[in-house]
Amino acid sequence: MDSGLTRLRAGPFKACFDASRAFLRYVCYGREEILRGIFPAVRDRDWNTIPFDVHDLQLDVGPDHFEISFRCLCQHFPFEWTSQIRGESSGRIEYLFDGMASDPLLKNRIGLCVLHPHRPCAGSACRVTHTNGCESLGEFPVLISPHQPFLDIAQLSHQVGEQTWAKVKFVGESFEMEDQRNWTDASFKTYSTPLALPFPVEMSKGQQVRHCVSVEIENAKLAANQSRGESTAPSLGTSAATASVSLARLRQVERANIGTCLSTSLAATPPQVVQKIQELNPDHLRFEMDLRLADWQERWAEAMDWGDKVGCSIEAAVQIPALDSASMDKFTKQIERSASQLARLLLFDAHAKTTPSGLVAEMLAARERHGWRVPMAVGTNAYFAELNRQRPSVRGEAAICYSINPQVHAFDDLSVMETLGALKDTVDTAHAIFRRPIVVSPITLRPRFNPNATSDVQRDQAEIDPRQDTEFAAAWTEGVCAQLIVDPRVESVTFYEAFGPRGLMDSQANTYPVFDTLKSLLSSRIIWTSVESLPSISVLGYPRDSQPQSQESRIELSVTNFGIEDQSLEFQDDSRGNHRLQVPAMSVVRHTLSDLQSRIHHG
C-alpha cells in the first residue's frame, strides 16, 4: 500500500513523515517505538480541529539524516506558520514551529503536540523536568487516567531499556500530558496551553506562537532486548510482514449482543430497507428517547413497532429530565407495558454528562414499585472521558455504558486505525472502576455531537464520513469487534445507524461493506478468535452453511489488517499443512476453512 509516508533515518532513529498533515510519525529506536508522533494542532474555541494546507514543501533525505521545511495555512481560520524538522546522524530530531495570527481569533490550543504510544509506554518509568528545573519521577498510567498524569513539563524522559532513556524536550510554553485513551486514541498526548488556564484564549493580529520539540536518547546504547524479539512499532519495512496463527489454538467464545441504531419512524422507511434490516437480524435496535418532547409516547410506540417488525428487542436510550411524580409514573408504566420488548434502558440526563445519582435512585425505586425487571445501564451518552472523570453512582444490577468513535482528535486513515489498540483499555478501566457488565453504545465513525463545545451552535455536529460506505469502514468495524465482542465483560455493542449516510446501507437499501461484516457476525452466537497476540492483525471466525452433500462444517475466517503495511498471515495447520493468506493494509480478507470444528480449542 502507498501510505503516503516518507521513510526517514536520523542516526539510530527511524521515522516516517506524513506530508499531508505535517506529521512526524512512528519514531523508533531499534525495535522500540519511542514516539507515536509529533504534529501541529490548531483547535478553535469549540475544540474543533482546524484543517490546514501544506505549501512549499522541501525534503532533503539522506541515509542517516534528513531536513524538511514547509509552510502551513489554516482553512477558514486566520493562522499560519512555518516549520523545519531536522534529523541528525548523531541521533537527534528537532521539530520547529513558528506561527502567527493573521487576524484576531479565539483558540483553545495552537502549537506542537507529542504522542507517546500507549504500548509499550503504559506502566513504563519516566522522569519529568518542570519549568522551574525541579525533577519528579513517575510512570505512565496502566489504567486510563481521568486527568493529566503530568503537569508543567519542560522535559520528559521514559525508560526504553535497562539503562536507556528517550528524552523529549519542550520549548515555548508550559506543556502537560493527557491520557488520550479517554477518547480511544492509543497514545499519551503532551500539549501546550494548560487546561487550568481560562479558555478560549484571544489572540491579536500578529501575535506569535513558537515551539520547539527535540528528541534524543540518553545513554545511547541499544539494550540487548532491542536487537531481537518482537517489535513494538508498526511494520515500516518495504516488504510484507508475516504473522502466524495456529488453527489448533483458535478458541470458541459466545459473542456480545450486537445492534444498530434507528431514529426515524417506521412509516417513513422504504419497505426494502425494513426487509434488509430483517435480513441483518440484529439482536436489538437502539432508539433515542427524549422525555422533554411532547410526542415522546408516540415515538416510544414507534420504537416498539420497529422491534415487532424486525423481530428484535429495543435498546431505549432515554433522556430523562426532572419529572414530577405523575410524569414519572406515566413513564414507568410505559416501561411496564413494554418490558418484554426492551433489551435495556440507557439512562441519561440532557443537562449532565453522566447519569446523576438521583436519577439512578429514582428509577430503581420506580422499578421496585411497578415490579418490572428491565435491565438498565448508566454512564454517558458521550465519550469514555466523561465516564472516567464524572463517575456515576451505580446501584442494583445496572450495567455501565459509554459511546466511542475514532475521530475526536484526528481523522486520517492511519490515526483512525490506531484507535483499535485502545479499545481494550477502556474495558479494562471501566471494569476496574465499576465491576459491572459493559454496554458500548453507539459506535460511530464520526462524533455525534460535541459535549465540550463552548458555543451552543457547535454542540450537534453529526457529520458524514465519506468512508462510511467503503471497505475501510468494514475493516475498522471488524477490528472493533475483535476487541469488544469476544470480551466476556462486554455485554452489548451497537453500531452506526441502520440506514442512511451514517449507516449500514443507503436509504434505498443498497448495502455497504459494514452491513456484510455485521451480518456475518450476527449469524451465530458462537464465534472463533485467536488466543495469540498478533500485531496489527485480528482474526474472527463464524460458521458457514455446508455445501450440499457435504458432511464437513465450514468456517469463514475474517482477517483484518489494521496496520500500515500489507501483511502475510500463515495458518499453521498440523493436520492439513500450513497455508498463507495475503492481507492488504487497512482491509479485510475472508477465508473459508472446512472441518475446522475438530481442530480448534474450545475456550
Side-chain angles (χ1 to χ4, degrees), residues 266-555:
L266 186 60
T269 306
Q272 64 268 31
V273 169
V274 178
Q275 183 177 354
K276 276 294 180 184
I277 299 173
Q278 292 170 333
E279 181 183 323
L280 179 70
N281 194 27
D283 294 321
H284 63 268
L285 297 173
R286 171 181 163 131
F287 264 85
E288 300 275 351
M289 305 284 179
D290 191 337
L291 300 193
R292 295 171 298 179
L293 300 178
D295 65 344
W296 74 264
Q297 289 176 285
E298 288 79 6
R299 289 180 58 79
W300 185 278
E302 286 181 344
M304 300 308 125
D305 287 345
W306 261 108
D308 289 341
K309 190 76 173 180
V310 174
C312 68
S313 58
I314 296 297
E315 177 180 272
V318 189
Q319 300 282 352
I320 305 176
L323 298 176
D324 57 43
S325 57
S327 298
M328 177 58 77
D329 190 59
K330 182 186 297 184
F331 174 52
T332 54
K333 286 182 178 178
Q334 189 76 275
I335 296 172
E336 184 178 359
R337 286 191 291 269
S338 308
S340 63
Q341 297 171 276
L342 289 169
R344 68 191 58 83
L345 295 169
L346 311 185
L347 305 179
F348 306 121
D349 184 330
H351 302 293
K353 291 184 177 180
T354 58
T355 311
S357 58
L359 176 58
V360 177
E362 193 172 10
M363 289 301 299
L364 287 173
R367 187 168 72 168
E368 289 302 315
R369 287 197 307 272
H370 292 275
W372 45 264
R373 286 292 178 266
V374 176
M376 295 191 297
V378 301
T380 183
N381 198 30
Y383 309 139
F384 183 84
E386 277 63 50
L387 179 70
N388 201 14
R389 292 175 173 177
Q390 301 179 32
R391 299 174 181 180
S393 171
V394 187
R395 296 166 55 189
E397 299 175 354
I400 286 294
C401 62
Y402 55 93
S403 75
I404 63 172
N405 78 85
Q407 297 188 76
V408 177
H409 295 119
F411 321 108
D412 62 284
D413 291 356
L414 296 182
S415 297
V416 169
M417 284 298 183
E418 287 170 5
T419 63
L420 296 173
L423 296 179
K424 184 176 181 296
D425 297 65
T426 68
V427 175
D428 290 343
T429 304
H431 180 72
I433 296 169
F434 299 105
R435 300 288 176 179
R436 302 285 176 140
I438 294 167
V439 173
V440 185
S441 178
I443 300 166
T444 57
L445 268 186
R446 286 279 180 96
R448 295 169 297 129
F449 61 94
N450 184 348
N452 300 305
T454 60
S455 60
D456 291 339
V457 71
Q458 286 291 329
R459 287 194 61 82
D460 296 320
Q461 57 170 35
E463 299 174 356
I464 297 168
D465 194 304
R467 296 165 293 192
Q468 184 75 38
D469 63 352
T470 67
E471 288 288 348
F472 176 87
W476 184 78
T477 303
E478 291 264 5
V480 173
C481 289
Q483 297 296 316
L484 296 183
I485 69 170
V486 299
D487 193 320
R489 299 169 297 180
V490 178
E491 178 179 282
S492 175
V493 297
T494 304
F495 283 96
Y496 311 122
E497 296 177 8
F499 64 96
R502 304 176 191 88
L504 311 178
M505 68 188 89
D506 66 20
S507 58
Q508 300 303 312
N510 299 303
T511 60
Y512 304 152
V514 289
F515 178 92
D516 296 325
T517 292
L518 295 183
K519 182 183 176 183
S520 294
L521 292 169
L522 282 160
S523 66
S524 174
R525 294 298 309 185
I526 301 298
I527 62 175
W528 286 259
T529 185
S530 173
V531 299
E532 290 139 327
S533 177
L534 302 173
S536 303
I537 286 281
S538 68
V539 178
L540 291 174
Y542 24 82
R544 276 288 167 262
D545 294 333
S546 299
Q547 296 287 351
Q549 312 304 319
S550 172
Q551 300 301 312
E552 290 188 331
S553 61
R554 297 167 67 239
I555 302 297

Side-chain angles (χ1 to χ4, degrees), residues 478 517 538-542 556-560 588-591:
E478 291 264 5
T517 292
S538 68
V539 178
L540 291 174
Y542 24 82
E556 182 168 286
L557 292 180
S558 179
V559 181
T560 306
V588 183
V589 172
R590 293 179 172 86
H591 182 67

Side-chain angles (χ1 to χ4, degrees), residues 104-138:
L105 60 86
L106 290 174
K107 61 99 174 178
N108 287 350
R109 179 176 303 152
I110 290 179
L112 291 178
C113 298
V114 173
L115 303 180
H116 284 80
H118 77 307
R119 294 189 180 92
C121 286
S124 296
C126 62
R127 297 194 300 255
V128 178
T129 303
H130 302 285
T131 55
N132 62 3
C134 295
E135 187 176 279
S136 59
L137 301 177

Side-chain angles (χ1 to χ4, degrees), residues 76-258:
H76 313 296
F77 192 78
F79 193 84
E80 58 186 78
W81 71 92
T82 59
S83 283
Q84 294 82 42
I85 310 175
R86 303 187 186 97
E88 302 171 1
S89 59
S90 61
R92 183 176 187 272
I93 295 175
E94 181 180 73
Y95 196 135
L96 301 170
F97 177 101
D98 190 352
M100 182 178 68
S102 54
D103 274 312
L105 60 86
L106 290 174
K107 61 99 174 178
N108 287 350
R109 179 176 303 152
I110 290 179
L112 291 178
C113 298
V114 173
L115 303 180
H116 284 80
H118 77 307
R119 294 189 180 92
C121 286
S124 296
C126 62
R127 297 194 300 255
V128 178
T129 303
H130 302 285
T131 55
N132 62 3
C134 295
E135 187 176 279
S136 59
L137 301 177
E139 64 178 32
F140 286 89
V142 175
L143 296 178
I144 301 174
S145 176
H147 302 290
Q148 289 78 0
F150 305 112
L151 301 170
D152 187 31
I153 303 170
Q155 182 175 294
L156 176 66
S157 302
H158 75 278
Q159 195 167 11
V160 296
E162 187 175 344
Q163 297 180 347
T164 306
W165 295 69
K167 177 177 69 176
V168 184
K169 188 175 182 180
F170 304 87
V171 177
E173 290 186 68
S174 174
F175 285 70
E176 63 187 24
M177 179 185 288
E178 69 185 8
D179 193 333
Q180 286 212 125
R181 295 175 296 172
N182 279 296
W183 301 273
T184 65
D185 297 275
S187 59
F188 302 94
K189 181 170 72 178
T190 305
Y191 57 89
S192 63
T193 311
L195 292 178
L197 299 178
F199 61 85
V201 176
E202 184 174 358
M203 290 186 68
S204 58
K205 180 178 180 178
Q207 188 172 344
Q208 294 180 314
V209 177
R210 290 176 173 170
H211 288 169
C212 176
V213 170
S214 60
V215 187
E216 296 179 89
I217 293 294
E218 298 178 294
N219 187 24
K221 180 180 179 181
L222 281 173
N225 64 355
Q226 299 261 99
S227 59
R228 60 180 181 269
E230 182 180 293
S231 174
T232 64
S235 173
L236 301 177
T238 56
S239 60
T242 301
S244 63
V245 59
S246 170
L247 294 181
R249 298 194 67 204
L250 291 178
R251 64 188 176 98
Q252 283 183 304
V253 297
E254 183 174 356
R255 64 164 173 81
N257 293 313
I258 302 173

Side-chain angles (χ1 to χ4, degrees), residues 19-58:
S20 64
R21 299 190 61 224
F23 198 154
L24 187 68
R25 309 184 85 125
Y26 310 130
V27 180
C28 300
Y29 176 69
R31 300 182 64 82
E32 184 116 341
E33 186 181 10
I34 302 301
L35 297 179
R36 180 58 49 92
I38 307 172
F39 66 97
V42 179
R43 308 291 293 276
D44 70 9
R45 62 171 297 172
D46 293 308
W47 293 107
N48 295 310
T49 299
I50 303 299
F52 58 83
D53 298 311
V54 177
H55 300 271
D56 305 328
L57 176 64
Q58 299 289 325

